[in-house]
Amino acid sequence: VQLQASGGGLVQAGGSLRLSCAVSGSIPRLNVMGWYRQPPGKQRELVANIGSGSDRNYAHSVKGRFTISRDIAENTVYLQMDSLTPEDTAVYYCTVRNLVTRADYWGQGTLVTVSS
């Protein structure tokens, strides 16, 4: 399974960005796709994930500001980020989890920088 994330960049506080992650290869039928982030000097944390049935989970810190979605036909997962704050600055990683084997696959990360 290969994941290619894109859409990161520099944005001012209050602005928006949309991250995309194209997934290819032998994608497990039962899976959860999601986004993690790693702020500078901190541990990686879950941002949001979405199941095959479009059930969604969000970190408390992004609920109401971020929206995760997926295009099953295109094997792409998106993260719409609105009302960004400097605390959202991080490298964002997309993931796919195989719900049967519990194997996790990771993309290369895309940097989001929010200036104050």
Side-chain angles (χ1 to χ4, degrees):
V1 179
Q2 294 80 45
L3 297 88
Q4 182 68 45
S6 61
L10 174 63
V11 63
Q12 288 190 328
S16 298
L17 280 176
R18 189 192 196 204
L19 305 183
S20 300
C21 180
V23 185
S24 60
S26 300
I27 302 169
R29 186 175 64 84
L30 297 177
N31 66 72
V32 172
M33 294 186 175
W35 293 91
Y36 281 71
R37 68 185 181 185
Q38 187 164 16
K42 296 183 179 180
Q43 291 189 331
R44 195 173 296 189
E45 60 186 12
L46 174 68
V47 177
N49 59 30
I50 182 169
S52 301
S54 296
D55 47 308
R56 297 168 171 84
N57 294 292
Y58 294 96
H60 178 74
S61 59
V62 307
K63 200 171 292 186
R65 301 187 298 121
F66 290 11
T67 303
I68 190 170
S69 60
R70 62 189 291 174
D71 185 327
I72 294 176
E74 296 294 328
N75 291 320
T76 303
V77 59
Y78 303 97
L79 186 68
Q80 177 66 41
M81 305 186 294
D82 299 317
S83 302
L84 285 161
T85 73
E87 288 68 36
D88 296 315
T89 295
V91 177
Y92 284 72
Y93 299 88
C94 56
T95 72
V96 173
R97 166 166 285 191
N98 183 322
L99 290 178
V100 176
T101 66
R102 313 302 285 181
D104 290 322
Y105 305 91
W106 294 84
Q108 84 286 5
T110 185
L111 177 62
V112 172
T113 303
V114 184
S115 63
S116 57

